[in-house]
């Protein structure tokens, strides 16, 4: 591999690097797939069978992963941008999902515990939740961009308070939406066999692809992440760009909250989207993006998110207790950051260089 | 007066703000919420319940002075109390072994995290976030369900009260109740005094400030920066282990849900106590007052009738936010004044 890259010059090297970044999540995906296939040969089986409402829907392990990984994939989009621009991560996403989800239920139920009909159209509830999510993002963003507080400390505030604020919005009751039309967003649209969360994720991915292709957002976030001072000298407003990425993440949080809340038509403040911040950071890291900011690869992050979901499902299949999952994931995170740490990569490349002259001698 | 204010070092300025705020808050509590706060025992109860937090916050301040952060402390405390509980009740261990186990767990976390942060140059937040999840996950693996420890020797230790002469109060029936503190408080006070002396007068202690203040100049002065950062994490881990045992002595049980959010409280205490996130500025006495302020405000919130659980979290977060912003503004003004 290495020799080939060297031969084809700088262009080839660049292409090799791009290939390398998306290579990590795909390699992880392949390993997990093979492992799962050995564990359970029926793993790839996808069946079309009627669900409880009598519609034909797709089911199977792969579909479950695509379905359950939706929230994570959507969050990974925003988290990638935040990481690229600010060089830090937002650890409040799980807690802000609790806030946005609580807002949705509050509006749909109009303050009652379990009304028989929807008190407001779902779209209104969703839009208000978007505003709530963006406000939370704006709060984090303002602390990071204008008060120059490290992102993880700034978001620690909402990380602690978020779930409590969520409980406070609904006065600590657990509202239940009885209307089946709300369950569509976390389940299936009648007549369509593909899970709705997956469709929403695809829509989000298309939107972000278009935004990155036709606007300068991607370029600007990367330049701010690589060198804030020189971006400022080139006429960018680094503070505003950082702020903007946090607001975009807030929007992603609201979409994820809609799916999360719709899945159970209710909410549990202390459990909803628990530890998802860890998964989202892991997805970005697994996508080969530098956690200290700078260049990013959106596709790799999104694939990374599905790999994490794959890993979670696999660990569940191995009968690992849900509360013990973080321990395993933490090991994966540490392994990844150690491998991508500058001093370690230097040592590895130094080792490679040592090997090369030897190889020449042999040749 | 103004001249004096200007000439104050950052450490003393932030420390003064903290101590003034604490006394204002405590006096306010006495004035508005009645005599409950006037009894010496009210103050000692704060100490009793927050001894573990004082110890963790001291360790965290040390890391923050060198410019790092450690958010795994809450997880380590939970892991230590669960492991000690299992050791005492199911594995037939004695108290000395439990203390050794607590220190061992703390040191292990400190050494691994310190190595990753100092020698491999990985962001401390990522390393210790992983550490936090690892510790929490491991707590569940050690034992899933919460349970109370029934080891006789341990219960005797847990219920040991050290009475303080002349500080008691009379209850409604007129019976004199002497004020007391737990063993944990003594440990916490020892930790605070030792760390204060080390940071103020020892060469190694001054190195922490030098590294946090400016890494490059510290290097030029011939300070071993990597070793200093490593040492701060090891100390923080060790103190988290000790705090874990003190916490365990206070609650007397093991549970995966123990010490949830403790890392947040510890960070908030350090920041309220005048430790700067950017490093180089901080004081252990300030941290002590940070913890006291934090728990006084919790007590005020509860006495004011807002005893739903969510208010505590929201007030802590609001306080942290306030102090972060104050710090940010104070430092920005100082910089522009220079």
């Amino acid at each position: 591999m290495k020799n080939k890259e060297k031969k084809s010059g700088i262009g080839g090297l660049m292409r090799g690097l791009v290939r390398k970044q998306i290579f990590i999540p795909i390699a992880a995906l392949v390993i997990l797939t093979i492992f799962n296939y050995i564990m359970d040969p029926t793993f790839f089986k996808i069946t079309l069978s009627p669900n409880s409402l009598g519609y034909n829907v797709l089911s199977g392990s792969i579909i479950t992963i695509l379905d359950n990984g939706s929230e994570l994939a959507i969050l990974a989009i925003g988290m990638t941008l935040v990481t690229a621009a600010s060089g830090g991560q937002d650890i409040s996403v799980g807690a802000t999902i609790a806030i946005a989800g609580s807002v949705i239920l509050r509006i749909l139920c109009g303050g009652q515990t379990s009304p028989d009909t929807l008190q407001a159209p779902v779209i209104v509830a969703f839009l208000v939740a978007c505003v709530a999510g963006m406000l939370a993002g704006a709060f984090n963003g303002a602390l990071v961009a204008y008060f120059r507080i490290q992102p993880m400390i700034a978001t620690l505030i909402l990380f602690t308070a978020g779930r409590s604020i969520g409980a406070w919005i609904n006065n600590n009751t657990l509202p239940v939406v009885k209307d089946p039309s709300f369950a569509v967003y976390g389940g299936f649209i009648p007549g369509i066999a593909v899970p709705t969360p997956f469709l929403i994720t695809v829509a989000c991915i298309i939107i972000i692809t278009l935004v990155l292709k036709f606007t300068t957002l991607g370029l600007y976030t990367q330049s701010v992440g690589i060198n804030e001072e020189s971006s400022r000298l080139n006429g960018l407003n680094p503070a505003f760009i950082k702020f903007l990425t946090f607001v975009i993440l807030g929007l992603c949080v609201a979409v994820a909250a809609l799916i999360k809340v719709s899945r159970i038509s209710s909410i549990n403040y202390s459990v909803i989207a628990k530890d998802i911040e860890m998964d989202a950071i892991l997805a970005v890291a697994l996508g080969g993006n530098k956690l200290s900011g700078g260049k990013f690869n959106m596709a790799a992050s999104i694939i990374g998110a599905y790999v994490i979901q794959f890993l979670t499902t696999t660990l569940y299949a191995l009968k690992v207790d849900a509360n013990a999952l973080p321990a395993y994931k933490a090991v994966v995170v540490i392994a990844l950051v150690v491998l991508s740490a500058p001093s370690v990569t230097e040592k590895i490349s130094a080792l490679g260089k040592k090997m090369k002259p030897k190889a020449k001698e042999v040749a | 007066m103004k001249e004096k204010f200007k000439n104050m070092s950052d450490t003393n300025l932030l420390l003064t703000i903290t101590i003034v705020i604490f006394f204002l808050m405590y006096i306010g509590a006495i004035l508005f919420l009645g005599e409950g706060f006037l009894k010496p025992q009210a103050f000692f109860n704060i100490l009793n319940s927050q001894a573990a937090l004082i110890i963790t916050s001291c360790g965290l301040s040390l890391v923050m002075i060198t410019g790092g952060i450690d958010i795994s402390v809450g997880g380590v405390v939970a892991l230590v109390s669960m492991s000690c509980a299992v050791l005492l009740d199911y594995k037939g261990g004695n108290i000395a072994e439990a203390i050794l186990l607590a220190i061992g767990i703390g040191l292990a976390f400190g050494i691994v995290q310190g190595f990753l942060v100092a020698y491999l140059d990985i962001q401390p937040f990522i390393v210790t976030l992983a550490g936090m999840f690892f510790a929490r996950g491991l707590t569940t693996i050690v034992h899933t369900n919460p349970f109370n420890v029934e080891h006789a020797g341990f219960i005797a230790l847990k219920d040991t009260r050290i009475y303080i002469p002349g500080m008691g109060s009379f209850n409604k029936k007129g019976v004199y109740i002497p004020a007391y503190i737990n063993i944990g408080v003594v440990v916490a006070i020892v930790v605070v005094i030792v760390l204060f002396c080390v940071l103020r007068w020892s060469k190694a202690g001054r190195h922490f400030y030098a590294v946090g203040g400016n890494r490059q100049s510290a290097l030029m002065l011939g300070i071993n920066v990597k070793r200093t950062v490593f040492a701060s994490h090891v100390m923080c881990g060790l103190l988290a282990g000790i705090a874990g045992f003190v916490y365990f002595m206070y609650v007397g049980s093991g549970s995966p849900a123990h010490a949830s959010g403790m890392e947040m409280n510890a960070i908030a205490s350090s920041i309220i106590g005048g430790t700067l996130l950017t490093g180089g500025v901080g004081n252990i006495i300030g941290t002590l007052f940070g913890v006291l302020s934090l728990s006084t405000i919790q007590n005020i919130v509860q006495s004011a009738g807002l005893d739903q659980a969510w208010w505590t979290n929201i007030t802590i977060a609001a306080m942290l936010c306030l102090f972060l912003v104050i710090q940010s503004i104070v430092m920005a003004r100082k910089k522009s004044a220079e």
Side-chain angles (χ1 to χ4, degrees):
Chain A
M1 273 290 277
K2 246 187 180 145
N3 283 333
K4 265 185 198 167
E5 277 169 23
K6 282 269 152 63
K7 270 176 196 164
S8 48
I10 295 169
L13 199 73
M14 290 294 280
R15 243 176 285 136
L17 278 176
V18 173
R19 220 184 296 141
K20 200 172 156 195
Q21 187 168 357
I22 207 147
F23 171 76
I24 305 171
I26 288 179
L29 201 61
V30 170
I31 294 170
L32 278 172
T33 318
I34 294 171
F35 182 77
N36 271 293
Y37 185 69
I38 295 169
M39 293 289 292
D40 176 17
T42 62
F43 187 75
F44 288 104
K45 211 172 151 199
I46 295 174
T47 50
L48 197 65
S49 55
N51 66 357
S52 55
L53 291 172
Y55 305 111
N56 276 328
V57 295
L58 293 172
S59 61
S61 304
I62 300 275
I63 300 295
T64 313
I65 290 167
L66 288 179
D67 184 6
N68 290 336
S70 306
E71 294 95 324
L72 195 54
I74 293 170
L75 286 180
I77 294 174
M79 192 65 90
T80 309
L81 290 175
V82 164
T83 304
S86 69
Q89 287 75 37
D90 184 339
I91 59 166
S92 71
V93 285
T96 35
I97 283 182
I99 297 180
S102 189
V103 166
I104 291 176
L105 286 180
R106 168 85 197 191
I107 289 171
L108 287 182
C109 295
Q112 303 167 39
T113 321
S114 65
D116 291 325
T117 54
L118 291 179
Q119 303 292 307
V122 176
I123 183 76
V124 173
F126 174 62
L127 287 178
V128 178
C130 284
V131 173
M134 282 159 78
L135 274 179
F139 174 74
N140 289 332
L143 287 177
V144 172
Y146 299 110
F147 288 99
R148 305 192 154 270
I149 299 166
Q150 291 114 302
M152 286 181 154
I153 302 288
T155 52
L156 200 60
I157 296 173
L158 274 181
F159 175 77
T160 326
R163 291 175 192 280
S164 299
I165 295 174
W168 176 51
I169 289 171
N170 270 315
N171 215 4
N172 217 11
T173 55
L174 303 173
V176 179
V177 179
K178 283 186 182 164
D179 198 309
S181 70
F182 180 57
V184 161
Y185 303 93
F188 293 90
I189 298 172
I192 295 177
V194 183
T196 324
F198 183 64
L199 295 177
I200 297 176
T201 314
V202 170
C204 287
I205 292 174
I206 291 172
I207 291 171
I208 194 68
T209 314
L210 292 177
V211 167
L212 288 179
K213 199 166 171 65
F214 292 109
T215 70
T216 48
L217 180 74
L219 182 67
Y220 285 3
T221 45
Q222 297 190 30
S223 84
V224 168
I226 292 168
N227 191 330
E228 195 175 331
E229 190 52 27
S230 62
S231 322
R232 194 183 63 79
L233 292 175
N234 276 306
L236 299 185
N237 183 349
F240 179 71
I241 289 166
K242 281 188 192 173
F243 180 76
L244 191 66
T245 55
F246 275 92
V247 174
I248 293 172
L249 178 57
L251 200 60
C252 296
V253 163
V255 178
L258 176 71
I259 298 173
K260 257 297 187 256
V261 175
S262 170
R263 279 190 203 278
I264 54 170
S265 290
S266 183
I267 193 166
N268 184 341
Y269 305 107
S270 54
V271 176
I272 183 172
K274 196 165 176 276
D275 299 341
I276 205 167
E277 49 277 342
M278 181 73 167
D279 285 354
I281 296 171
L282 195 53
V284 175
L286 200 60
N289 300 297
K290 270 215 178 81
L291 289 179
S292 49
K295 289 189 86 67
F296 68 85
N297 184 336
M298 190 59 81
S301 285
I302 293 167
I303 296 173
Y306 283 110
V307 173
I308 304 301
Q309 189 60 42
F310 212 138
L311 181 68
T312 310
T313 316
T314 311
L315 286 172
Y316 276 135
L318 294 175
K319 303 253 171 6
V320 171
D321 185 83
N323 289 318
L325 271 185
Y328 297 92
K329 284 182 189 163
V331 173
V332 179
V333 174
I334 287 295
L336 275 174
V337 288
V338 166
L339 283 179
S340 61
S343 53
V344 176
T345 43
E346 259 168 44
K347 262 179 200 145
I348 291 173
S349 65
L351 249 175
K353 267 177 200 162
K354 261 187 202 166
M355 300 283 274
K356 225 175 75 183
K358 272 184 196 164
K360 264 184 189 169
E361 276 164 29
V362 173
Chain B
M1 183 65 207
K2 213 174 179 188
E3 203 55 19
K4 222 176 181 181
F5 180 76
K6 258 189 187 164
N7 288 337
M8 257 180 166
S9 71
D10 298 345
T11 307
N12 288 341
L13 175 67
L14 291 169
L15 177 65
T16 318
I17 296 178
T18 311
I19 295 181
V20 167
I21 284 182
F22 169 69
F23 279 109
L24 284 181
M25 230 158 51
Y26 209 86
I27 292 168
I30 292 171
L31 287 179
F32 294 110
L33 296 165
E35 294 97 55
F37 282 90
L38 208 53
K39 282 184 192 160
Q41 189 58 48
F43 179 72
F44 290 127
N45 277 343
I46 291 181
L47 281 182
N48 285 339
S49 60
Q50 304 297 339
L53 184 60
I54 292 172
I55 302 173
T56 20
S57 305
C58 286
L60 199 65
S61 296
L62 210 59
V63 174
M64 280 165 69
I65 286 171
T66 59
I69 187 99
D70 187 340
I71 56 166
S72 69
V73 286
V76 174
V77 166
L79 178 61
V80 165
S81 51
M82 182 59 104
S83 312
C84 289
V86 169
L87 180 74
L88 287 180
D89 260 22
Y90 296 136
K91 306 276 181 222
N94 59 30
I95 290 170
E97 285 169 6
I99 294 174
L100 277 182
L101 179 69
I103 291 175
I105 292 173
L107 271 182
F109 269 84
I111 288 171
V112 172
Q113 293 178 353
F115 176 75
L116 293 176
V117 172
Y119 293 101
L120 297 187
D121 238 354
I122 305 171
Q123 285 181 8
F125 212 112
I126 296 289
V127 172
T128 54
L129 184 74
M132 165 176 137
F133 281 101
F134 185 69
R136 289 259 172 231
L138 211 57
T139 310
T140 324
I141 295 174
V142 170
H143 196 86
T144 318
N145 301 318
F147 66 98
N148 284 324
V149 175
E150 279 149 12
H151 188 275
F154 174 72
I155 288 175
L157 186 71
K158 174 179 178 294
D159 292 337
T160 308
R161 291 177 171 187
I162 300 165
Y163 291 102
I164 298 174
M167 294 286 261
S169 57
F170 293 95
N171 70 0
K172 280 175 192 160
K173 286 177 189 165
V175 182
Y176 182 77
I177 301 166
Y180 69 90
I181 51 173
N182 292 336
I183 296 177
V185 180
V186 179
V187 178
I189 291 170
V190 169
V191 166
V192 167
I193 293 172
V194 168
L195 274 186
F196 178 76
C197 295
V198 166
L199 280 179
R200 166 115 334 163
W201 289 299
S202 84
K203 206 167 143 191
R206 301 315 292 176
H207 285 180
F208 287 119
Y209 285 98
V211 169
N214 190 329
R215 214 163 257 232
Q216 202 56 41
S217 346
L219 200 66
M220 302 271 194
L221 284 171
I223 295 171
N224 190 336
V225 172
K226 286 184 174 176
R227 200 172 66 198
T228 311
V229 172
F230 178 67
S232 74
H233 275 276
V234 174
M235 281 298 289
C236 183
L238 172 68
L239 289 174
I242 296 173
F245 195 78
V246 168
Y247 184 88
F248 178 52
M249 279 202 294
Y250 181 69
V251 294
S253 61
S255 157
H258 270 342
S260 69
M262 194 184 214
E263 54 282 337
M264 174 68 184
N265 289 354
I267 292 171
S269 307
S270 288
I271 289 172
I272 293 168
T275 313
L276 272 196
L277 278 169
T278 40
V281 176
N283 192 313
I284 294 298
I285 300 294
T287 305
L288 174 65
F289 276 96
V291 176
L292 295 178
S293 305
L294 199 70
S295 55
T296 308
I297 233 192
Q298 283 175 3
N299 279 341
I300 292 174
V301 166
Q302 279 161 12
S303 314
L306 302 167
D307 52 353
Q308 287 100 331
W310 70 74
W311 279 112
T312 321
N313 280 339
I314 293 178
T315 35
I316 294 176
M319 228 172 135
L320 177 66
C321 179
L322 181 76
F323 273 83
L324 278 173
V325 171
I326 289 179
Q327 271 193 6
S328 168
I329 293 169
V330 165
M331 289 342 272
R333 290 189 95 174
K334 268 207 118 138
K335 222 174 233 173
S336 65
E338 277 164 14

